[in-house]
C-alpha cells in the first residue's frame, strides 16, 4: 500500500525534534552536527534568535493578506535586495523553481515586447539544476528529471558544462537568454571559472541575450560574497534566489534590472503567497545579518579553515576523498567510494552532509557555524574516512 506521504523521496532514517545553531537534535537526545543546513537553506543555523524574533513578532500581528494589497515587509526586503545588488526590482516567490518559472517568462516576455516573439531560446548547461517545475526540468534537461513527464516545455538548448565554444556556436539572434548557476550545487559543486562568467556576459552583450544567473544555492552569502557573480566582476540581467534567503522559511525571489523586467507589467505574473508578511519579515532579518561586510568576511575566514582541514583529509585518505571543490561555505568532497555510503557513514558519526551528482558530498553548513563546529566537523569526517579507508 502506498505511504500516506507520496513516496517521492529517499529519506534517511533520521528524525529531528529541534535545532540549535549548527546542531540538530533527535527526540532521544542524539545531537547531529548539521553540515547540510537543509540543503543550504538554514543560512543562520537553527533557531537563530533574530529570525525567531522576526517570525514570532510578525506571527502575532499578521500572516497573510495576498498581493491584492500593499505589503510593507515585502517592500522593505525588496529595497534591501536592490540596495545590495545589481537589481532594480524584485518579485517574491515561495521556492527556487518558481523563481525559475518567472526568470524564463520574464526573458521571453522581454523579447515579445521588443517585437521579436520568435526569440524564445534559452541556453542551459549539462549538470545544471533549476528545480522540479515544468520549466525547471526542461531547463536542466537531464534524462532522469524529464523522463515520463512529456511533453517537455520547449525552447531550451542544453550545452556541455564550461564549454565557451559551444556557447558561441549556439548563441544567435534566436537566443532569449543564457541561464546558468555560477556554482552547480546538485551537479556536484562544480564552479564556473570567473573568466567563463565574464565571457558569458560578453557573449550575451554581443548577441543581445539576457544573462540569467541561478544563485538559488550559491547566493545569500554562501560563497563569502553576498552573491557569487561579484567574484567575476559582472552583473546578470536576471537572477534567481531562494534557499538561504528565508533561512528556513519558504521564500524565493527573482531579481532583475529594469530593462530586463520591462515586459512584466501589471497582470502578467503573480502568486497568492509569494512575498507574504511572514516570509518577508524573516527574509528581511536574514538579509540584515548576512549582507554586512563583517559577516561575509567571517564566511571567508571559516571557509579557509574548513577547506584547509578538508585538503588534509584528501592528503591523508586519498582512497576515500579525491578532491575538495567549491567556494566559501559551499564545498564539495569528491569521493572514491559511493558518496551515498560516505553520507550514511556520516550519520553513524552524528554528522550531516548532503550527497550530490558526480559522486560528491556537499558541505553547506550554516554560515554562522563556530570554529569549534568546524573542528568537530573535521574530526567526524576523519572518523568517517578512517572507517571507509582500506
Ligand atoms: C534548490 C535549487 C533550485 C530549486 O529550488 P526549490 O526551492 O527546491 O524549488 C533551483 N536552482 C538551484 C541552483 C537549486 O540549488
Amino acid at each position: 500500500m502506498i505511504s500516506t506521504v507520496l513516496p517521492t523521496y529517499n529519506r534517511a532514517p533520521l528524525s529531528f525534534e529541534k535545532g540549535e545553531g549548527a546542531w540538530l537534535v533527535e527526540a532521544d537526545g542524539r545531537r547531529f552536527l548539521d553540515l547540510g543546513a537543509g540543503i543550504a537553506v538554514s543560512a543562520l543555523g537553527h533557531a537563530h534568535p533574530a529570525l525567531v524574533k522576526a517570525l514570532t513578532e510578525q506571527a502575532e500581528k499578521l500572516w497573510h493578506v495576498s498581493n491584492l494589497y500593499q505589503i510593507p515587509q515585502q517592500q522593505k526586503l525588496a529595497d534591501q535586495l536592490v540596495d545590495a545588488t545589481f537589481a532594480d526590482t524584485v518579485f517574491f516567490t515561495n521556492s527556487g523553481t518558481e523563481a525559475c518559472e518567472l526568470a524564463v517568462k520574464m526573458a521571453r516576455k522581454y523579447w515579445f515586447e521588443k517585437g521579436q516573439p520568435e526569440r524564445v531560446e534559452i541556453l542551459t548547461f549539462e549538470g545544471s539544476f533549476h528545480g522540479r517545475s515544468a520549466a525547471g526540468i526542461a531547463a536542466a534537461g537531464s534524462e532522469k528529471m524529464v523522463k515520463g513527464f512529456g511533453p517537455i516545455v520547449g525552447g531550451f538548448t542544453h550545452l556541455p558544462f564550461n564549454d565557451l565554444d559551444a556557447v558561441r556556436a549556439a548563441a544567435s539572434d534566436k537566443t532569449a537568454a543564457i541561464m546558468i548557476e555560477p556554482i552547480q550545487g546538485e551537479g556536484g559543486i562544480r564552479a564556473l571559472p570567473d573568466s567563463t562568467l565574464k565571457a558569458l556576459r560578453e557573449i550575451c552583450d554581443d548577441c543581445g541575450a539576457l544573462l540569467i544567473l541561478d544563485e538559488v544555492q550559491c547566493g545569500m552569502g554562501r560563497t563569502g560574497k553576498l552573491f557569487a557573480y561579484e567574484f567575476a566582476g559582472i552583473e546578470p540581467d536576471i537572477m534567481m534566489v531562494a534557499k538561504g534567503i528565508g533561512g528556513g522559511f519558504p521564500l524565493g525571489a527573482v531579481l532583475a534590472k529594469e530593462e530586463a523586467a520591462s515586459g512584466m507589467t501589471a497582470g502578467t505574473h503573480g502568486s497568492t503567497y509569494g512575498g507574504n508578511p511572514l516570509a518577508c519579515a524573516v527574509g528581511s532579518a536574514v538579509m540584515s545579518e548576512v549582507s554586512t561586510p563583517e559577516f561575509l568576511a567571517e564566511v571567508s575566514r571559516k571557509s579557509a579553515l574548513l577547506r584547509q582541514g578538508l585538503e588534509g583529509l584528501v592528503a591523508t585518505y586519498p582512497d576515500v576523498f579525491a578532491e575538495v571543490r567549491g567556494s566559501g561555505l559551499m564545498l564539495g568532497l569528491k569521493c572514491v567510494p559511493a558518496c551515498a555510503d560516505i553520507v550514511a557513514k556520516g550519520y553513524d558519526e552524528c554528522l550531516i552532509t548532503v550527497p550530490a551528482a558526480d559522486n560528491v558530498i556537499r558541505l553547506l553548513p550554516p554560515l554562522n557555524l563556530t570554529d569549534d563546529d568546524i573542528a568537530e566537523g573535521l574530526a567526524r569526517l576523519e572518523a568517517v574516512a578512517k572507517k571507509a579507508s582500506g
Side-chain angles (χ1 to χ4, degrees):
M1 206 171 51
I2 194 166
S3 53
T4 55
V5 173
L6 189 73
T8 57
Y9 297 108
N10 273 316
R11 295 173 197 271
L14 301 172
S15 173
F16 302 108
E17 195 178 58
K18 62 176 180 177
E20 297 159 358
W23 294 82
L24 284 167
V25 189
E26 284 196 312
D28 65 4
R30 261 204 318 170
R31 292 170 63 83
F32 285 70
L33 180 60
D34 184 8
L35 300 188
I39 320 182
V41 167
S42 307
L44 294 171
H46 304 284
H48 188 282
L51 304 199
V52 172
K53 182 164 180 279
L55 182 74
T56 50
E57 282 184 2
Q58 187 58 44
E60 282 170 5
K61 282 192 245 170
L62 185 64
W63 294 16
H64 178 80
V65 293
S66 90
N67 286 298
L68 292 170
Y69 313 103
Q70 309 291 319
I71 300 180
Q73 297 81 4
Q74 196 180 112
Q75 185 62 54
K76 179 179 170 191
L77 180 53
D79 290 348
Q80 286 175 293
L81 288 163
V82 165
D83 275 351
T85 68
F86 76 98
D88 302 311
T89 188
V90 183
F91 182 95
F92 292 102
T93 67
N94 310 287
S95 68
T97 205
E98 285 171 80
C100 175
E101 293 290 317
L102 173 55
V104 167
K105 286 175 71 175
M106 186 182 280
R108 289 180 176 170
K109 188 68 158 40
Y110 175 79
W111 291 111
F112 181 87
E113 296 295 337
K114 293 277 166 204
Q116 299 186 48
E118 71 296 342
R119 191 161 184 169
V120 298
E121 186 191 39
I122 297 179
L123 305 182
T124 60
F125 298 88
E126 169 261 316
S128 65
F129 183 79
H130 303 293
R132 299 293 194 139
S133 61
I137 61 174
S142 81
E143 180 70 8
K144 185 181 141 216
M145 270 189 280
V146 301
K147 197 175 173 191
F149 297 113
I152 302 304
V153 177
F156 294 94
T157 300
H158 308 103
L159 301 175
F161 179 76
N162 197 20
D163 181 344
L164 284 169
D165 289 338
V167 183
R168 286 190 190 101
S172 74
D173 59 5
K174 295 286 172 289
T175 311
I178 295 176
M179 179 189 283
I180 194 161
E181 296 156 87
I183 305 173
Q184 286 188 352
E186 305 303 309
I189 311 291
R190 297 201 295 174
L192 278 186
D194 293 344
S195 57
T196 300
L197 268 182
K198 278 202 187 86
L200 289 175
R201 179 71 267 176
E202 276 166 26
I203 292 167
C204 284
D205 291 344
D206 289 346
C207 77
L210 301 173
L211 181 60
I212 303 173
L213 293 183
D214 182 345
E215 295 225 16
V216 167
Q217 195 159 149
C218 64
M220 292 305 293
R222 183 139 296 273
T223 60
K225 299 274 190 200
L226 188 57
F227 290 102
Y229 72 80
E230 297 169 36
F231 285 104
I234 56 125
E235 290 186 341
D237 300 292
I238 299 172
M239 185 166 74
M240 297 145 60
V241 180
K243 293 204 165 89
I245 190 174
F249 199 96
L251 179 63
V254 173
L255 280 61
K257 291 216 192 239
E258 182 169 9
E259 173 70 10
S262 57
M264 302 307 294
T265 51
T268 56
H269 195 63
S271 164
T272 300
Y273 290 127
N276 92 354
L278 270 184
C280 288
V282 179
S284 234
V286 172
M287 253 312 268
S288 300
E289 296 282 332
V290 305
S291 61
T292 69
E294 297 75 26
F295 184 93
L296 294 167
E298 272 295 281
V299 172
S300 299
R301 186 187 64 78
K302 287 170 190 169
S303 166
L305 202 60
L306 179 55
R307 191 171 189 124
Q308 190 182 32
L310 296 176
E311 298 285 3
L313 291 179
V314 170
T316 313
Y317 303 95
D319 59 336
V320 181
F321 297 130
E323 188 193 2
V324 186
R325 298 176 175 183
S327 160
L329 291 173
M330 182 173 182
L331 295 172
L333 275 170
K334 170 103 175 162
C335 299
V336 180
C339 69
D341 291 346
I342 301 296
V343 171
K345 283 193 166 64
Y347 297 151
D348 295 338
E349 304 299 325
C350 293
L351 177 74
I352 307 283
T353 62
V354 182
D358 208 20
N359 209 35
V360 163
I361 63 166
R362 277 176 282 178
L363 308 177
L364 308 161
L367 302 179
N368 59 348
L369 86 170
T370 65
D371 289 11
D372 284 350
D373 293 335
I374 291 173
E376 189 58 45
L378 288 166
R380 290 180 191 209
L381 273 171
E382 172 143 39
V384 169
K386 269 196 183 123
K387 286 189 181 159
S389 173

